[in-house]
Amino acid sequence: MRITRPLCPVFSLLVLVMGACASAQPSAHVVRSSPSPPSPVASDRTPTAAVPLLSATSLPPATSSPPGRWQTYAHTTYGFSFCYPPDWTVEEKPDVPNFVWLKYQPRPTLALSIGFRRSTEEAPIQRTGVGAGELIGKGTVLFLGRELSRDVLVYQGKEKAVLYSYGLEIAVDDLIFTLSLDDHSPDYESVVIEQDIQAQVDEIVESFELTP
């Protein structure tokens, strides 16, 4: 007959100590903290031509495509295109060749201003100021492989404008762009740019492509 002897007290204590040490080992899962949001920028910070071009991190182009009903605008001279919803309209002005405005049909005072020039040109495309309020960083978008900040102008709790990269010039290859969403209503106090419109404009910005 095989007799099973009880464990030696010393051996039992050793087993317990080894088990406790094993359970105390750190987990392999690492939690990385998100970067802190940018500090608010006072509204009296007015971009000037002396400010250097944006130094943005290049990222892979966005893979998502705009909805099928969206239309495409292509600028053959400067070699870029973007998509936009059917309730927006592209406006060009012959006397202002370095700008295109994308206007929201239900509210014509609301427009995305798109400035562009070649790096060898001197055309002024940078905005000269902003309305009353405070610029607050609210996320990022991808623009031609660059990650741009979304800087929202907030006045009395209302979101009045969206400046991409503070409205500063953005260099992509030999082209330079500026992008801003504004409501040019004369009644500034009542202006509010809703979140769904901002999200739609973000998609427009992310749809930009360079064309041959």
Side-chain angles (χ1 to χ4, degrees):
M1 175 184 300
R2 182 177 181 178
I3 299 176
T4 303
R5 299 180 180 276
L7 294 176
C8 173
V10 175
F11 180 73
S12 301
L13 180 60
L14 179 60
V15 170
L16 290 174
V17 171
M18 291 176 65
C21 292
S23 63
Q25 294 299 315
S27 170
H29 178 65
V30 179
V31 179
R32 302 183 186 278
S33 59
S34 301
S36 302
S39 302
V41 179
S43 61
D44 60 356
R45 175 176 177 176
T46 302
T48 64
V51 179
L53 300 180
L54 171 74
S55 177
T57 303
S58 295
L59 297 172
T63 56
S64 59
S65 300
R69 294 181 60 239
W70 283 30
Q71 305 173 63
T72 300
Y73 169 86
H75 200 298
T76 55
T77 302
Y78 283 85
F80 68 87
S81 66
F82 59 84
C83 300
Y84 61 97
D87 53 354
W88 292 72
T89 303
V90 174
E91 180 179 307
E92 299 173 306
K93 296 180 181 179
D95 57 332
V96 190
N98 292 93
F99 271 93
V100 166
W101 292 268
L102 190 59
K103 294 193 170 183
Y104 186 48
Q105 293 176 16
R107 200 162 102 202
T109 56
L110 182 65
L112 174 67
S113 300
I114 304 162
F116 47 91
R117 67 177 176 86
R118 299 197 184 281
S119 57
T120 55
E121 295 177 330
E122 297 295 332
I125 61 171
Q126 193 166 287
R127 65 188 297 148
T128 57
V130 295
E134 182 179 29
L135 280 176
I136 301 175
K138 294 193 175 185
T140 61
V141 296
L142 283 180
F143 173 73
L144 294 173
R146 273 78 175 159
E147 188 174 32
L148 307 183
S149 64
R150 297 177 70 260
D151 305 295
V152 180
L153 180 65
V154 180
Y155 177 66
Q156 295 183 347
K158 299 177 180 178
E159 299 189 347
K160 304 288 185 179
V162 180
L163 282 62
Y164 294 91
S165 295
Y166 292 108
L168 300 179
E169 295 183 335
I170 307 155
V172 182
D173 295 341
D174 68 330
L175 293 178
I176 297 173
F177 295 89
T178 55
L179 301 162
S180 327
L181 175 65
D182 296 271
D183 191 320
H184 301 281
S185 169
D187 185 7
Y188 186 73
E189 296 288 334
S190 67
V191 167
V192 177
I193 302 181
E194 295 82 358
Q195 292 296 320
D196 58 337
I197 293 178
Q198 292 186 36
Q200 199 170 67
V201 172
D202 287 348
E203 286 190 77
I204 295 170
V205 170
E206 293 195 330
S207 74
F208 269 70
E209 294 182 352
L210 298 182
T211 57

